[in-house]
Amino acid sequence: MIPCRVCSGETEPVFEAEVLRRHRVRYFHCPACGFLATEEPHWLPEAYAESITLQDTGLVQRNLVFADEVAVLLYFFFDRSGKFVDYGGGTGLFTRLMRDIGFDFRTYDPHTPNVHARGFEARPEERGFEVVTCFESFEHFVQPPAELEKLLLMSRNVVFSTELLPSPPPRPEDWWYYGLAHGQHIGFYERRTLEHLAGRHGLALRSFGPLHLMTEKVIAPWKLRLARKLRRRFLSRYVRRRLAGLTQGDHDLLGARGRPS
Ligand SMILES: [Zn+2]
């Protein structure tokens, strides 16, 4: 039997699908925690030949939406003057957007060159972040508990995105999020899977639109719902007005750093 990579429980084979048009891959579901995973993903080197998939046309739009959502979340529920890190931050686009709004964000990504937030990299051993964000990564993790522990060393408040797996798991042809064409999505979470992971670390799980939050803070779900409802109308504009963006300040700072002393 194949043990669940989240809770070590016994899994059940649910279907087979063709990944990257050439690998016949078995998928296993865990009745105990709801996690669905592929067999040992031996095709990952092929799948990551390009770290950002060619077909990901939604990348910029997703970053803009997440920036708005996260700005409201951080402004009202966390220490907005703290430092933040975007883990697996890719080209640094999200970090740049958040700095433009006025949050002291850094980016960390060992796999992708930082293009948009150069000069604002975090080191993996850095600690004491108010919040760590981690977008479109959980479904890529081979060992989710170990990856979550790395995030939690940076901050006990984690904001992340992943599409929730419907229950029962859809057939491979019925859910785009399996990502069979690019082969990078190898683990899928029901809400109870995320609750299991959060609970193991004594954290609460909250959802904020498309985002999930594991946090040690006590935040009433109705407050999150209200903030999100108001967000569309004016909150993100309000937050942008209230905070002085760092666009010009960063420009000046980088210029001063680059000047020979
Ligand atoms: Zn499990």
Side-chain angles (χ1 to χ4, degrees):
M1 77 119 194
I2 302 227
C4 172
R5 295 202 284 265
V6 166
C7 77
S8 311
E10 198 167 325
T11 61
E12 295 166 349
V14 281
F15 55 76
E16 286 187 8
E18 197 167 70
V19 170
L20 287 169
R21 293 169 203 261
R22 53 188 170 275
H23 301 288
R24 199 78 204 153
V25 173
R26 288 172 302 156
Y27 287 68
F28 295 86
H29 186 243
C30 173
C33 77
F35 188 56
L36 176 78
T38 64
E39 62 182 78
E40 196 60 36
H42 54 83
W43 57 90
L44 288 186
E46 280 170 64
Y48 284 103
E50 279 181 66
S51 77
I52 294 173
T53 58
L54 205 57
Q55 289 169 309
D56 192 2
T57 52
L59 184 142
V60 168
Q61 185 56 32
R62 196 168 59 233
N63 273 271
L64 292 170
V65 170
F66 287 169
D68 259 14
E69 299 268 4
V70 173
V72 170
L73 193 62
L74 300 187
Y75 187 88
F76 289 102
F77 300 107
F78 292 93
D79 176 6
R80 62 187 83 127
S81 61
K83 58 174 188 164
F84 306 91
V85 58
D86 187 27
Y87 190 99
T91 61
L93 178 58
F94 184 75
T95 294
R96 187 64 258 163
L97 289 168
M98 294 308 285
R99 293 193 67 83
D100 289 344
I101 299 172
F103 293 98
D104 185 8
F105 254 84
R106 315 293 155 94
T107 181
Y108 171 70
D109 195 322
H111 305 298
T112 309
N114 172 11
V115 176
H116 302 291
R118 283 167 67 186
F120 301 99
E121 294 89 5
R123 286 167 288 108
E125 68 278 11
E126 238 175 304
R127 304 284 176 261
F129 292 98
E130 173 70 1
V131 170
V132 51
T133 54
C134 185
F135 301 121
E136 305 300 295
S137 295
F138 272 59
E139 61 280 4
H140 297 242
F141 290 158
V142 180
Q143 298 294 347
E147 298 293 340
L148 177 60
E149 271 168 40
K150 284 189 218 161
L151 296 172
L152 290 172
L153 287 173
M154 293 180 121
S155 175
R156 298 266 298 158
N157 302 304
V158 184
V159 173
F160 62 101
S161 65
T162 192
E163 290 283 329
L164 288 180
L165 175 70
S167 176
R171 299 290 306 160
E173 59 277 15
D174 291 337
W175 200 39
W176 65 278
Y177 207 62
Y178 288 131
L180 304 176
H182 59 68
Q184 295 183 358
H185 291 186
I186 56 171
F188 308 91
Y189 307 76
E190 292 182 16
R191 189 175 164 89
R192 63 189 171 118
T193 322
L194 298 178
E195 270 163 4
H196 176 93
L197 281 167
R200 195 189 278 176
H201 295 279
L203 302 172
L205 178 75
R206 296 276 180 267
S207 290
F208 192 76
L211 303 176
H212 312 287
L213 165 68
M214 287 185 194
T215 180
E216 56 183 6
K217 297 219 170 176
V218 181
I219 305 175
W222 69 266
K223 284 190 185 167
L224 281 174
R225 279 198 299 273
L226 180 66
R228 185 143 200 274
K229 222 176 202 171
L230 296 173
R231 177 194 72 87
R232 261 167 235 227
R233 280 186 182 240
F234 67 92
L235 274 188
S236 64
R237 256 175 296 154
Y238 168 84
V239 171
R240 281 173 195 273
R241 266 203 313 271
R242 292 293 297 264
L243 291 174
L246 296 169
T247 318
Q248 185 62 40
D250 283 354
H251 174 87
D252 299 344
L253 179 73
L254 291 168
R257 273 194 210 158
R259 217 171 285 143
S261 50

